[in-house]
Amino acid sequence: MLLKGIISAFSLVGTAQVAHGALTRRVACPDGKNTAINAACCPLFEIIEDIQNNLFDNECGEEFHESLRLVFHDAIGFSSSGGKGGGADGSIMTFSDVETLYHANNGIDGIIEVQRPFVEKHNISAGDFIQLAGAIGLSNCPGAPRLDYFFGRPNAVAAAPDLTVPEPFDTVDSILERFAEAGFNADEVVALLASHSVAAADHVDESIPGTPFDSTPGIFDSQFFIEVQLAGTGFPGTGRGQGEVESPLQGEMRLQSDQEFARDPRTACTWQSFINNQNKLQTEFKAAMLKLSLLGHDRSSLIDCSEVVPTPVPLSDSAHLPAGKSMVDVQPACATSAFPTLTAESGPATSVPPVGDS
């Protein structure tokens, strides 16, 4: 009994020490409103409040879609074998006079110039701001994962070279090869494509700006993976840009590369696995995005400020076929598992509206 009492006493002391540690690890930020595990993260709260109110309007909308595109285009200019670029270092903004001239970066100068005043106002590196804006903007999208965020990237010292950003008319082979140079495998590439669930295109086909890639561009869900798996039925847009193919839904854009990823034997089963599996979609996208955000950096040299990222609202809708579609419209491509059985949204087929103003 004495031994049990001693053990219990030590357990209580240990519990109290853990609880006390949990309480004392946080520090009060100078703003008088927030606390943080690491005081170095405190300045981010002011930046987040500013961009939520004055960049994103607290919405998963057009400015976020463009900001998410900027995250990818900045970071992917990197090669694990060296000789490509600095990765997620903000070079696309620092050296915008060079990188915005690349074909793959057509139109990205708009969001760069929208974001630049925030970078200058808050004295934050371009690389840190671009990644922060992506993480905070995604938190406005229901169903999204809460992304990790690391802080402390130095300013870029050189522009990323041309031809490091894949384009929608590129083949699966060339896209996988480019991502492999940056350290990503095929499954991680498909996971990153979940970004198209909350994306829209302004410049693939400039006759139809703001055209979303799925019917729910304000929600992070698996509708993108479902709808790309449907047979195209003649809605390519009025001008059909390079890399654009027929979509099954009016008002929606399908990229050639997305269509091929959904049907390629190397990626089709991973693509299908995200359908109606929100937990897997969130988990694998979050992991791939963290890896992307750290390209070109030693993680140990950065500060983990993930706690400043808000938690997104959970997904409330279930995966479904678009109205007017049925399982006969599905073009399954995974040879090892059956396509999930889905029901169609009720009501007549409607056109997917464009996102925001171009």
Side-chain angles (χ1 to χ4, degrees), residues 73-122:
H73 286 234
D74 180 49
I76 198 57
F78 176 80
S79 173
S80 56
S81 60
K84 287 291 181 183
D89 62 355
S91 68
I92 198 167
M93 181 180 293
T94 304
F95 299 95
S96 58
D97 57 329
V98 175
E99 293 193 39
T100 58
L101 299 180
Y102 301 160
H103 186 272
N105 291 335
N106 178 37
I108 211 163
D109 56 316
I111 190 61
I112 288 174
E113 296 312 316
V114 167
Q115 287 192 7
R116 194 185 300 278
F118 292 92
V119 173
E120 295 171 349
K121 174 182 177 182
H122 295 287

Side-chain angles (χ1 to χ4, degrees), residues 305-348:
C305 291
S306 302
E307 64 173 323
V308 306
V309 180
T311 300
V313 174
L315 182 68
S316 58
D317 296 332
S318 58
H320 56 270
L321 295 170
K325 300 296 180 181
S326 69
M327 290 298 294
V328 301
D329 296 302
V330 175
Q331 295 180 323
C334 177
T336 58
S337 63
F339 192 90
T341 299
L342 303 171
T343 57
E345 187 176 21
S346 61

